[in-house]
Amino acid sequence: MPVRSAIMTVMTRAAEKAGRALRRDFGEVEQLQVSMKGPADFVSQADRKSEKLLHEELSRARPGYGFVGEEGTDEKGDGEHRWIVDPLDGTTNFLHGIPHWAVSIALQKGGEIVAGVVYDPVKDEMFWGEKGMGAYLNATRLRVSRRSELHTALLATGIPFKGSKYWESFLKELQSVMLKIAGVRRMGTASLDLAYVAAGRYDGYWERGIHPWDVAAGLLLVKEAGGFAASMDKGGDPVYGRSIITTNAALHASLRELLGTG
Ligand code: LIP
Protein backbone atom coordinates (compact mmCIF):
# COMPACT_ATOMS: atom_id res chain seq x y z
CA MET A 1 0.00 0.00 0.00
CA PRO A 2 1.55 3.34 -1.01
CA VAL A 3 2.04 5.61 2.01
CA ARG A 4 -0.27 8.60 2.05
CA SER A 5 1.13 11.92 3.30
CA ALA A 6 -0.50 13.73 6.21
CA ILE A 7 -2.39 16.09 3.89
CA MET A 8 -3.57 13.19 1.71
CA THR A 9 -4.83 11.41 4.83
CA VAL A 10 -6.80 14.53 5.76
CA MET A 11 -8.32 14.74 2.27
CA THR A 12 -9.20 11.06 1.87
CA ARG A 13 -10.71 10.81 5.35
CA ALA A 14 -12.84 13.90 4.71
CA ALA A 15 -13.99 12.50 1.36
CA GLU A 16 -14.85 9.13 2.96
CA LYS A 17 -16.84 10.86 5.75
CA ALA A 18 -18.80 12.93 3.22
CA GLY A 19 -19.23 9.84 1.06
CA ARG A 20 -20.78 7.83 3.90
CA ALA A 21 -23.35 10.57 4.51
CA LEU A 22 -24.15 10.86 0.80
CA ARG A 23 -24.54 7.08 0.50
CA ARG A 24 -27.25 7.24 3.19
CA ASP A 25 -28.95 10.14 1.41
CA PHE A 26 -28.70 8.32 -1.91
CA GLY A 27 -30.68 5.45 -0.40
CA GLU A 28 -33.47 7.92 0.42
CA VAL A 29 -33.48 9.40 -3.08
CA GLU A 30 -34.51 6.11 -4.61
CA GLN A 31 -37.68 6.17 -2.43
CA LEU A 32 -38.35 9.84 -3.21
CA GLN A 33 -38.38 9.28 -6.97
CA VAL A 34 -42.00 8.20 -6.70
CA SER A 35 -43.06 10.79 -4.09
CA MET A 36 -45.28 13.70 -5.15
CA LYS A 37 -42.70 16.33 -4.22
CA GLY A 38 -39.83 14.46 -5.85
CA PRO A 39 -36.25 14.48 -4.61
CA ALA A 40 -34.98 17.86 -5.91
CA ASP A 41 -35.08 19.75 -2.58
CA PHE A 42 -33.74 16.72 -0.72
CA VAL A 43 -30.77 16.45 -3.10
CA SER A 44 -29.98 20.17 -2.79
CA GLN A 45 -29.93 19.71 0.99
CA ALA A 46 -27.65 16.67 0.62
CA ASP A 47 -25.29 18.73 -1.57
CA ARG A 48 -25.18 21.61 0.94
CA LYS A 49 -24.81 19.22 3.90
CA SER A 50 -21.84 17.57 2.18
CA GLU A 51 -20.15 20.91 1.56
CA LYS A 52 -20.70 21.93 5.20
CA LEU A 53 -19.20 18.64 6.43
CA LEU A 54 -16.17 18.96 4.13
CA HIS A 55 -15.65 22.60 5.12
CA GLU A 56 -15.70 21.60 8.82
CA GLU A 57 -13.34 18.64 8.36
CA LEU A 58 -10.81 20.42 6.14
CA SER A 59 -10.84 23.68 8.11
CA ARG A 60 -10.35 21.83 11.38
CA ALA A 61 -7.32 20.01 9.93
CA ARG A 62 -5.84 23.07 8.21
CA PRO A 63 -7.13 26.26 9.82
CA GLY A 64 -6.48 29.33 7.72
CA TYR A 65 -6.62 27.64 4.32
CA GLY A 66 -9.02 29.24 1.83
CA PHE A 67 -12.05 27.29 0.61
CA VAL A 68 -14.20 27.51 -2.51
CA GLY A 69 -17.09 25.10 -2.97
CA GLU A 70 -19.77 24.56 -5.59
CA GLU A 71 -22.53 25.26 -3.07
CA GLY A 72 -21.31 28.79 -2.39
CA THR A 73 -18.68 28.62 0.37
CA ASP A 74 -15.96 31.11 -0.58
CA GLU A 75 -13.23 31.97 1.92
CA LYS A 76 -9.97 33.67 0.96
CA GLY A 77 -7.96 32.23 3.83
CA ASP A 78 -4.19 32.77 3.97
CA GLY A 79 -4.02 33.60 0.24
CA GLU A 80 -1.52 30.77 -0.36
CA HIS A 81 -3.55 27.58 0.22
CA ARG A 82 -7.07 26.95 -1.04
CA TRP A 83 -9.39 23.96 -1.01
CA ILE A 84 -11.42 23.60 -4.25
CA VAL A 85 -14.37 21.32 -3.50
CA ASP A 86 -17.30 19.76 -5.31
CA PRO A 87 -19.26 18.16 -2.47
CA LEU A 88 -21.47 16.18 -4.84
CA ASP A 89 -20.30 16.00 -8.45
CA GLY A 90 -22.86 14.35 -10.68
CA THR A 91 -25.83 15.96 -8.99
CA THR A 92 -28.26 15.09 -11.79
CA ASN A 93 -27.23 11.42 -11.64
CA PHE A 94 -27.75 11.47 -7.86
CA LEU A 95 -31.16 13.12 -8.28
CA HIS A 96 -32.29 10.38 -10.67
CA GLY A 97 -30.93 7.53 -8.60
CA ILE A 98 -28.07 6.80 -11.04
CA PRO A 99 -25.14 5.38 -9.01
CA HIS A 100 -22.38 7.44 -10.67
CA TRP A 101 -21.36 10.53 -8.64
CA ALA A 102 -18.37 11.60 -6.55
CA VAL A 103 -16.83 13.86 -3.92
CA SER A 104 -13.99 15.94 -5.38
CA ILE A 105 -11.37 17.76 -3.25
CA ALA A 106 -8.35 19.62 -4.63
CA LEU A 107 -5.68 21.56 -2.77
CA GLN A 108 -4.20 24.59 -4.53
CA LYS A 109 -0.92 26.01 -3.23
CA GLY A 110 0.26 29.23 -4.77
CA GLY A 111 -0.87 29.03 -8.39
CA GLU A 112 -1.00 25.25 -8.79
CA ILE A 113 -2.98 22.20 -7.78
CA VAL A 114 -0.72 20.09 -5.53
CA ALA A 115 -3.09 17.35 -4.34
CA GLY A 116 -6.38 15.85 -5.51
CA VAL A 117 -8.95 13.30 -4.37
CA VAL A 118 -11.96 12.01 -6.33
CA TYR A 119 -14.01 9.53 -4.29
CA ASP A 120 -16.81 7.37 -5.72
CA PRO A 121 -18.67 6.15 -2.61
CA VAL A 122 -20.97 3.78 -4.53
CA LYS A 123 -18.09 1.76 -6.00
CA ASP A 124 -15.76 2.61 -3.06
CA GLU A 125 -13.12 3.82 -5.52
CA MET A 126 -10.71 6.38 -4.05
CA PHE A 127 -8.70 8.15 -6.75
CA TRP A 128 -5.91 10.18 -5.14
CA GLY A 129 -2.64 11.83 -5.97
CA GLU A 130 -0.10 14.51 -5.12
CA LYS A 131 2.15 16.58 -7.35
CA GLY A 132 5.30 14.61 -8.13
CA MET A 133 4.15 11.59 -6.11
CA GLY A 134 1.97 9.74 -8.63
CA ALA A 135 -1.76 8.97 -8.78
CA TYR A 136 -3.54 5.94 -7.32
CA LEU A 137 -6.85 4.12 -7.32
CA ASN A 138 -7.04 2.73 -3.79
CA ALA A 139 -3.64 0.99 -3.59
CA THR A 140 -2.97 0.66 -7.33
CA ARG A 141 -0.74 3.09 -9.24
CA LEU A 142 -2.52 4.76 -12.15
CA ARG A 143 -1.22 5.17 -15.72
CA VAL A 144 -3.13 6.66 -18.64
CA SER A 145 -3.90 4.40 -21.63
CA ARG A 146 -1.31 3.74 -24.31
CA ARG A 147 -3.65 3.83 -27.32
CA SER A 148 -2.12 5.96 -30.05
CA GLU A 149 -4.74 5.68 -32.81
CA LEU A 150 -7.84 7.87 -32.60
CA HIS A 151 -9.98 5.19 -34.30
CA THR A 152 -9.36 2.91 -31.29
CA ALA A 153 -10.00 5.64 -28.69
CA LEU A 154 -12.94 5.83 -26.26
CA LEU A 155 -13.58 9.45 -25.23
CA ALA A 156 -15.81 11.00 -22.57
CA THR A 157 -17.49 14.39 -22.75
CA GLY A 158 -20.22 16.52 -21.18
CA ILE A 159 -23.31 17.86 -22.96
CA PRO A 160 -23.92 21.57 -22.22
CA PHE A 161 -27.14 22.34 -20.38
CA LYS A 162 -30.17 23.64 -22.35
CA GLY A 163 -29.60 27.21 -23.49
CA SER A 164 -25.88 27.05 -22.82
CA LYS A 165 -23.66 29.25 -25.03
CA TYR A 166 -21.54 26.14 -25.69
CA TRP A 167 -24.36 24.29 -27.45
CA GLU A 168 -23.33 25.09 -31.06
CA SER A 169 -19.64 24.35 -30.55
CA PHE A 170 -20.44 21.08 -28.78
CA LEU A 171 -22.54 19.75 -31.66
CA LYS A 172 -19.74 20.57 -34.11
CA GLU A 173 -17.14 18.90 -31.86
CA LEU A 174 -19.29 15.80 -31.46
CA GLN A 175 -19.85 15.53 -35.20
CA SER A 176 -16.10 15.76 -35.81
CA VAL A 177 -15.06 13.11 -33.30
CA MET A 178 -17.89 10.63 -33.90
CA LEU A 179 -16.55 9.94 -37.40
CA LYS A 180 -13.03 9.23 -36.22
CA ILE A 181 -13.07 7.43 -32.85
CA ALA A 182 -14.27 4.15 -31.35
CA GLY A 183 -16.93 5.67 -29.09
CA VAL A 184 -18.10 8.49 -26.80
CA ARG A 185 -19.42 8.30 -23.24
CA ARG A 186 -21.39 11.02 -21.41
CA MET A 187 -21.60 9.89 -17.81
CA GLY A 188 -22.46 13.22 -16.12
CA THR A 189 -19.65 13.45 -13.55
CA ALA A 190 -16.62 15.40 -14.75
CA SER A 191 -14.38 14.49 -11.80
CA LEU A 192 -14.90 10.77 -12.52
CA ASP A 193 -14.41 11.35 -16.26
CA LEU A 194 -10.98 12.76 -15.43
CA ALA A 195 -10.22 9.99 -12.92
CA TYR A 196 -11.10 7.43 -15.60
CA VAL A 197 -8.67 9.06 -18.04
CA ALA A 198 -5.99 8.79 -15.33
CA ALA A 199 -6.92 5.12 -14.88
CA GLY A 200 -6.74 4.41 -18.61
CA ARG A 201 -10.46 3.56 -18.75
CA TYR A 202 -11.02 6.46 -21.14
CA ASP A 203 -8.41 7.58 -23.66
CA GLY A 204 -9.49 11.20 -23.38
CA TYR A 205 -12.16 13.64 -22.21
CA TRP A 206 -13.25 17.08 -23.26
CA GLU A 207 -15.92 19.49 -22.04
CA ARG A 208 -16.83 23.16 -22.22
CA GLY A 209 -18.71 24.94 -19.48
CA ILE A 210 -17.21 23.07 -16.53
CA HIS A 211 -16.21 24.76 -13.25
CA PRO A 212 -12.97 24.67 -11.25
CA TRP A 213 -14.51 22.38 -8.61
CA ASP A 214 -15.49 19.84 -11.32
CA VAL A 215 -11.95 19.47 -12.69
CA ALA A 216 -9.26 20.69 -10.24
CA ALA A 217 -8.67 17.33 -8.52
CA GLY A 218 -9.11 15.19 -11.64
CA LEU A 219 -6.65 17.28 -13.62
CA LEU A 220 -3.90 16.55 -11.13
CA LEU A 221 -4.68 12.81 -11.31
CA VAL A 222 -4.40 12.84 -15.13
CA LYS A 223 -1.03 14.63 -15.02
CA GLU A 224 0.35 12.38 -12.29
CA ALA A 225 -0.76 9.34 -14.34
CA GLY A 226 1.30 10.58 -17.31
CA GLY A 227 -1.48 12.30 -19.24
CA PHE A 228 -1.95 15.74 -20.77
CA ALA A 229 -4.49 18.34 -19.69
CA ALA A 230 -5.14 21.78 -21.15
CA SER A 231 -7.77 24.39 -21.78
CA MET A 232 -9.57 24.05 -25.12
CA ASP A 233 -8.95 27.78 -25.58
CA LYS A 234 -5.45 28.91 -26.61
CA GLY A 235 -3.63 30.18 -23.55
CA GLY A 236 -6.60 29.38 -21.32
CA ASP A 237 -6.27 28.05 -17.75
CA PRO A 238 -7.35 24.38 -17.52
CA VAL A 239 -8.68 24.81 -13.97
CA TYR A 240 -10.39 28.21 -14.19
CA GLY A 241 -10.89 28.55 -17.92
CA ARG A 242 -14.30 26.77 -18.23
CA SER A 243 -13.06 24.28 -20.84
CA ILE A 244 -10.80 21.24 -20.78
CA ILE A 245 -9.26 18.55 -22.97
CA THR A 246 -7.29 15.62 -21.51
CA THR A 247 -5.70 12.61 -23.22
CA ASN A 248 -2.70 10.34 -23.05
CA ALA A 249 0.48 11.72 -24.63
CA ALA A 250 0.06 9.90 -27.96
CA LEU A 251 -3.40 11.27 -28.75
CA HIS A 252 -3.10 14.85 -27.53
CA ALA A 253 -2.12 16.60 -30.75
CA SER A 254 -4.55 14.66 -32.98
CA LEU A 255 -7.50 15.17 -30.63
CA ARG A 256 -6.79 18.88 -30.25
CA GLU A 257 -6.70 19.16 -34.04
CA LEU A 258 -9.92 17.15 -34.43
CA LEU A 259 -11.69 19.39 -31.90
CA GLY A 260 -10.37 22.49 -33.65
CA THR A 261 -8.42 23.65 -30.60
CA GLY A 262 -5.16 23.64 -32.52
C1 LIP B 1 -21.68 18.22 -13.49
C2 LIP B 1 -20.40 17.81 -14.15
C3 LIP B 1 -20.69 17.23 -15.53
C4 LIP B 1 -21.27 18.31 -16.37
C5 LIP B 1 -22.57 18.75 -15.77
C6 LIP B 1 -22.41 19.23 -14.32
P1 LIP B 1 -22.52 18.81 -11.06
O1 LIP B 1 -21.39 18.74 -12.22
O2 LIP B 1 -19.72 16.87 -13.35
O3 LIP B 1 -19.56 16.73 -16.17
O4 LIP B 1 -21.46 17.84 -17.68
O5 LIP B 1 -23.08 19.79 -16.56
O6 LIP B 1 -21.68 20.44 -14.30
O7 LIP B 1 -23.32 20.04 -11.39
O8 LIP B 1 -23.33 17.58 -11.15
O9 LIP B 1 -21.77 18.96 -9.79
Side-chain angles (χ1 to χ4, degrees):
M1 174 73 174
V3 178
R4 288 177 181 165
S5 68
I7 196 68
M8 189 46 65
T9 302
V10 165
M11 295 169 72
T12 51
R13 284 185 180 162
E16 285 164 343
K17 188 168 182 179
R20 284 193 295 274
L22 286 168
R23 276 298 305 268
R24 284 193 296 274
D25 290 339
F26 189 64
E28 292 290 309
V29 165
E30 289 169 310
Q31 317 307 323
L32 290 170
Q33 294 299 348
V34 294
S35 68
M36 287 306 285
K37 197 164 179 292
D41 293 348
F42 179 83
V43 170
S44 305
Q45 282 169 27
D47 214 338
R48 286 193 295 271
K49 201 169 64 175
S50 180
E51 182 157 309
K52 181 171 179 294
L53 182 154
L54 289 165
H55 181 248
E56 284 166 1
E57 291 296 313
L58 296 169
S59 303
R60 184 183 312 121
R62 292 291 182 279
Y65 280 23
F67 188 109
V68 63
E70 180 179 38
E71 292 311 302
T73 311
D74 191 353
E75 294 171 356
K76 187 175 179 308
D78 63 13
E80 170 72 5
H81 304 85
R82 175 155 71 160
W83 299 112
I84 303 173
V85 173
D86 193 337
L88 171 54
D89 187 27
T91 313
T92 304
N93 288 348
F94 192 99
L95 176 70
H96 288 266
I98 298 168
H100 189 78
W101 42 270
V103 175
S104 181
I105 305 172
L107 175 59
Q108 180 175 323
K109 185 175 179 195
E112 61 178 340
I113 305 299
V114 294
V117 161
V118 175
Y119 180 47
D120 176 340
V122 176
K123 302 179 206 62
D124 196 23
E125 290 192 325
M126 178 69 76
F127 299 89
W128 57 280
E130 283 190 75
K131 187 171 181 296
M133 315 278 275
Y136 296 84
L137 165 52
N138 300 337
T140 304
R141 183 79 184 248
L142 294 180
R143 298 301 296 171
V144 292
S145 78
R146 298 177 63 82
R147 284 188 188 81
S148 58
E149 303 288 331
L150 270 178
H151 67 87
T152 65
L154 179 66
L155 302 183
T157 190
I159 300 174
F161 283 124
K162 251 194 315 270
S164 159
K165 65 179 182 179
Y166 303 109
W167 196 265
E168 291 296 315
S169 53
F170 173 73
L171 291 176
K172 290 195 186 93
E173 290 156 6
L174 189 61
Q175 196 160 24
S176 304
V177 300
M178 289 296 279
L179 299 173
K180 305 271 184 170
I181 63 171
V184 179
R185 295 290 181 271
R186 196 284 193 259
M187 300 285 279
T189 305
S191 58
L192 285 177
D193 290 338
L194 288 157
Y196 285 20
V197 171
R201 295 174 178 175
Y202 293 145
D203 303 298
Y205 158 69
W206 89 95
E207 187 166 353
R208 291 183 187 277
I210 34 88
H211 293 92
W213 43 75
D214 292 322
V215 300
L219 271 177
L220 175 113
L221 300 175
V222 168
K223 290 179 183 172
E224 287 300 315
F228 276 59
S231 166
M232 293 179 75
D233 304 306
K234 237 179 192 27
D237 182 308
V239 176
Y240 294 96
R242 302 299 310 273
S243 74
I244 191 158
I245 175 172
T246 68
T247 62
N248 65 31
L251 292 173
H252 203 65
S254 47
L255 183 60
R256 287 190 72 89
E257 191 182 340
L258 193 57
L259 290 172
T261 56

